[in-house]
Amino acid sequence: MKKLVYLLMSFALVVSCSDDDSNQEGTLNVTAGYAFTANKMANSLEFTSGYIWLTEVEFEGHYASGDSIEVEVKRSSKIDLATGVATPNLDDIAIPTGDFVELELEVELRDEDAQPSIVMEGTYTRTDGSQAPIRFEYNSGETFEAEYKKPVTILDGETVLSRIVFDPNIWFSVVPNDALDNATVNADGIIVISGVSNKGIFDLVADRLDESTESEFE
């Protein structure tokens, strides 16, 4: 049995049975990747690689009885957005079994130094047809939260897959076309969008991230 729900900049939840029923608890597997809506920009913007760097994962389950259980794991792990592979892995988080009426997942981004906690890389095609590599960098200890408000039964040996879904087309839909057309490039010809480079564009996109983190599953 599989249950799948997507929410932009939030989490997709899949519950699937494991072949090993000897385990007396479930397992949480956290991964990440891209999901694209139709491109609303007149010009082409495509992200194909990057990562999200987490330092903490918190799982909370609410039982029908009104009780709840929390599992918190502190682990610095970088998830490849192209493959969904986490290094070190995040596929072995032990979680309780039972009948839940709601699940919540919270992840905290790395914020220890100047290294970005989110990086997305791809290509931008300008109005005149010329192309440039593009790189988006986000450096913050932001905490992302998601809720799954449907009944879920987790049995012994089952795995819960929680996927962090990024949709750059939604983030960049508020950026004027001419802003990217005229964006500054670095010495390597890359359009870097960060807190210190092309900051006007960065501020527009970062605001979209904030709005998304406030959303909840329906």
Side-chain angles (χ1 to χ4, degrees), residues 1-67:
M1 178 182 66
K2 293 185 178 180
K3 302 179 181 73
L4 180 62
V5 173
Y6 284 103
L7 180 66
L8 303 179
M9 254 318 297
S10 195
F11 304 91
L13 178 68
V14 181
V15 178
S16 60
C17 294
S18 167
D19 292 332
D20 181 8
D21 292 330
S22 62
N23 188 8
Q24 297 302 302
E25 56 191 7
T27 302
L28 179 66
N29 179 6
V30 180
T31 183
Y34 289 117
F36 297 98
T37 60
N39 195 333
K40 298 180 180 179
M41 302 183 64
N43 307 328
S44 177
L45 179 64
E46 181 180 21
F47 288 99
T48 55
S49 62
Y51 67 78
I52 176 173
W53 204 336
L54 310 178
T55 58
E56 184 177 320
V57 174
E58 182 178 306
F59 170 89
E60 183 173 352
H62 299 269
Y63 295 102
S65 64
D67 294 331

Side-chain angles (χ1 to χ4, degrees), residues 62-164:
H62 299 269
Y63 295 102
S65 64
D67 294 331
S68 62
I69 185 74
E70 292 185 9
V71 176
E72 183 179 294
V73 174
K74 294 183 181 296
R75 185 181 305 172
S76 180
S77 181
K78 184 186 291 187
I79 307 178
D80 188 304
L81 292 177
T83 65
V85 174
T87 306
N89 66 61
L90 289 169
D91 62 359
D92 59 350
I93 301 172
I95 56 176
T97 60
D99 297 322
F100 297 95
V101 294
E102 181 180 333
L103 298 179
E104 297 179 16
L105 189 72
E106 180 178 302
V107 297
E108 184 174 332
L109 299 183
R110 183 181 186 275
D111 186 22
E112 300 174 1
D113 50 39
Q115 290 183 280
S117 52
I118 297 177
V119 167
M120 300 190 306
E121 296 177 312
T123 303
Y124 176 65
T125 302
R126 302 183 180 91
T127 305
D128 62 9
S130 63
Q131 292 187 327
I134 188 167
R135 177 183 171 95
F136 175 77
E137 299 179 355
Y138 187 75
N139 189 0
S140 172
E142 186 89 32
T143 297
F144 294 151
E145 300 179 3
E147 299 179 0
Y148 189 78
K149 294 184 175 181
K150 293 183 179 180
V152 175
T153 298
I154 301 176
L155 303 176
D156 293 343
E158 284 192 330
T159 297
V160 175
L161 172 64
S162 192
R163 184 169 180 261
I164 306 168

Side-chain angles (χ1 to χ4, degrees), residues 145-203:
E145 300 179 3
E147 299 179 0
Y148 189 78
K149 294 184 175 181
K150 293 183 179 180
V152 175
T153 298
I154 301 176
L155 303 176
D156 293 343
E158 284 192 330
T159 297
V160 175
L161 172 64
S162 192
R163 184 169 180 261
I164 306 168
V165 181
F166 290 90
D167 191 333
N169 287 341
I170 294 294
W171 294 359
F172 280 82
S173 64
V174 295
V175 179
N177 293 315
D178 60 351
L180 280 174
D181 277 351
N182 298 300
T184 302
V185 300
N186 65 12
D188 297 319
I190 302 173
I191 300 173
V192 177
I193 300 172
S194 69
V196 295
S197 178
N198 292 299
K199 192 174 184 304
I201 298 175
F202 174 83
D203 289 342

